[in-house]
Amino acid sequence: MNIGNYQLRDREESFINLNPLQTGGRTTPDARKAIISYIDGYSICDWCKGALHITTEPDIAGFLIDVSDFLGMDYALPTNGCREAKYGVMHAISKGGSILCDANMHYSSEISAERAGLKVYKVPNNGEPEYKVNPLDYAEKIEDIKKETGSYPDLVLLTHVDGEYGNLVDPKQVGKICKDYSVPFLLNTAYSSGRMEIKGKKLGADFIACSGHKSWASGGGNIGILAISEEWEEKIFKGGTNWKSKPIEILGCSSRGSSLMAMMASFPYVKERVKRWDEEVKKARYLVEELTKIDINPLGESPKNHDLIKIDTPVYDKIARGHKKKGYFLYYELKDRGIIGMKPGRTKRFKISTYGLSWDQVKYVAESFLEIGGD
Ligand SMILES: *Cc1c(COP(=O)(O)O)cnc(C)c1O
């Protein structure tokens, strides 16, 4: 169906969607109702008390208390996505020095650091095929930075689960190293919180950045959370000079509408679903095991600890070379079977996610990939 020049979007309603960007953000029925009801501009400001995060009708203030509790932190603010949470921390902390990150970091972390005037250093990964980051390497790199620049980094960032390989890195070890060097620690949980349970302070994190539309079953736009430990409240959540109730780092009031309502509506469901994380990992491991029966090589850590699966697929690349639809054949073969979420044209290497699929769907996806590969 069209509205003007636009085609109405139809994905989750009619297909099995494997797009890793989208599986953890798939909305609940309650979120969809909340989004429509709060769709108009500044809808969330009907009962404004002076700032978004202290609003009690709807109960944003109460929600933020519950969320910081859920994340094992002390305070939380809504943000325009994970990137605004990261940028807010970097900007507040930056003394114009450096930031130590992992080599699998997201582009938005690097861009945020650049905007905050921080020079980026990276802990390398171990390359093909696993691309693993060793958390213990953070200590050596912190020393290297000190030698090179004369000071320790202003901030350390770890991508808990990266968006390229779906590798999970143990934050506890990085947290301990940061404590030893008295460097604040920002944990980027764009692909983890909302899917799996996270208790930030127990992991040694000072700051947690979350992505609602990626991992908390929230749509309706961009939404994120910045959660912090108590000792940082004054610095990170500081209000304006003449606008005390408006936190500077989120420009006073951040996400002002349906996306925040979607996150609030999905939250009871998210709190339950994180308890089923082990089952989600089993599904991903099962699919990888099935796919490697044909000429497909998994990339990233093995066995997997996350639903994001990156694979190298010579089997489809060979078929594409002799196919009249070329690289697009795979996209159409899958779509014919009711499966979408692949980048059209890709056959060499691609990413998929099993998150939130039923076991029947996972088995059907595995069978479909094998069948198309000629098994
Ligand atoms: C997707 C992603 C982000 C960006 O999240 P937004 O909420 O869209 O800003 C940040 N970090 C990682 C690791 C990601 O995968």
Side-chain angles (χ1 to χ4, degrees):
M1 196 173 127
N2 286 336
I3 299 183
N5 292 328
Y6 300 93
Q7 200 172 17
L8 282 183
R9 186 170 178 273
D10 171 30
R11 297 242 137 182
E12 308 300 341
E13 298 81 355
S14 310
F15 297 94
I16 295 176
N17 185 4
L18 303 179
N19 187 338
L21 274 179
Q22 297 169 351
T23 54
R26 195 180 282 131
T27 45
T28 57
D30 279 349
R32 288 184 169 218
K33 282 182 219 156
I35 288 165
I36 290 177
S37 160
Y38 278 82
I39 202 68
D40 287 327
Y42 293 101
S43 57
I44 221 162
C45 309
D46 290 340
W47 301 93
C48 177
K49 285 188 167 176
L52 184 78
H53 66 287
I54 55 173
T55 299
T56 49
E57 209 169 320
D59 193 11
I60 297 166
F63 169 69
L64 292 171
I65 292 171
D66 292 347
V67 163
S68 56
D69 206 41
F70 174 65
L71 292 168
M73 301 300 281
D74 296 315
Y75 299 104
L77 282 179
T79 61
N80 288 294
C82 177
R83 67 196 66 200
E84 191 181 67
K86 292 184 291 186
Y87 175 66
V89 172
M90 292 177 194
H91 181 255
I93 294 270
S94 175
K95 298 187 212 107
S98 64
I99 179 170
L100 178 59
C101 307
D102 54 282
N104 296 340
M105 73 195 289
H106 193 250
Y107 76 86
S108 64
S109 301
E110 193 152 354
I111 295 282
S112 299
E114 214 175 316
R115 189 182 180 196
L118 290 164
K119 185 170 180 203
V120 175
Y121 289 85
K122 296 181 191 178
V123 172
N125 61 41
N126 68 357
E128 182 104 356
E130 290 202 287
Y131 297 92
K132 272 168 97 147
V133 167
N134 180 354
L136 297 175
D137 289 349
Y138 270 82
E140 192 186 323
K141 273 282 165 191
I142 288 177
E143 293 287 358
D144 288 350
I145 292 171
K146 168 85 170 164
K147 266 184 228 140
E148 187 186 319
T149 69
S151 2
Y152 290 124
D154 293 347
L155 184 66
V156 156
L157 176 145
L158 173 68
T159 313
H160 190 198
V161 173
D162 72 88
E164 202 48 39
Y165 309 104
N167 285 354
L168 177 100
V169 187
D170 180 9
K172 244 188 191 155
Q173 308 201 43
V174 178
K176 186 173 177 310
I177 292 165
C178 290
K179 205 127 275 154
D180 288 349
Y181 285 96
S182 298
V183 178
F185 176 29
L186 165 59
L187 184 63
N188 178 5
T189 69
Y191 259 114
S192 55
S193 63
R195 297 175 186 242
M196 64 181 86
E197 192 163 78
I198 284 176
K199 295 292 174 201
K201 283 197 294 180
K202 281 200 183 139
L203 299 170
D206 297 286
F207 321 107
I208 300 265
C210 312
S211 178
H213 50 277
K214 187 178 271 163
S215 293
W216 293 58
S218 313
N222 300 316
I223 182 71
I225 291 287
L226 169 57
I228 64 169
S229 67
E230 194 164 14
E231 59 182 301
W232 291 99
E233 196 206 1
E234 223 164 284
K235 190 166 187 86
I236 309 290
F237 287 3
K238 189 171 164 229
T241 311
N242 296 321
W243 302 90
K244 294 269 183 273
S245 67
K246 305 281 195 190
I248 289 175
E249 299 302 347
I250 56 165
L251 301 179
C253 300
S254 62
S255 187
R256 301 170 292 287
S258 59
S259 53
L260 176 54
M261 290 309 294
M263 196 180 203
M264 289 168 60
S266 282
F267 186 50
Y269 162 80
V270 166
K271 275 197 286 193
E272 285 305 308
R273 81 177 188 181
V274 296
K275 296 177 190 162
R276 301 191 294 271
W277 176 243
D278 287 354
E279 198 66 15
E280 295 297 337
V281 174
K282 276 187 202 151
K283 290 175 202 165
R285 288 184 180 180
Y286 169 85
L287 182 60
V288 170
E289 206 178 295
E290 286 296 303
L291 294 183
T292 47
K293 286 179 179 168
I294 55 176
D295 196 7
I296 290 177
N297 314 304
L299 297 168
E301 67 183 343
S302 179
K304 292 209 64 65
N305 293 302
H306 194 268
D307 55 271
L308 189 155
I309 299 166
K310 181 152 188 181
I311 42 179
D312 171 56
T313 55
V315 60
Y316 301 128
D317 197 44
K318 261 180 225 143
I319 297 173
R321 275 186 241 139
H323 202 287
K324 61 179 185 308
K325 286 186 187 149
K326 302 239 172 61
Y328 288 86
F329 94 94
L330 182 59
Y331 171 80
Y332 288 111
E333 286 287 342
L334 287 167
K335 198 169 178 202
D336 283 349
R337 290 168 173 81
I339 299 168
I340 50 161
M342 317 271 308
K343 279 208 177 116
R346 280 273 168 96
T347 52
K348 276 194 185 125
R349 276 183 178 200
F350 52 84
K351 295 187 267 188
I352 49 180
S353 158
T354 46
Y355 192 74
L357 300 187
S358 68
W359 270 107
D360 281 347
Q361 288 174 322
V362 176
K363 284 176 186 162
Y364 175 70
V365 167
E367 282 162 20
S368 301
F369 273 111
L370 293 181
E371 194 179 271
I372 297 167
D375 188 52

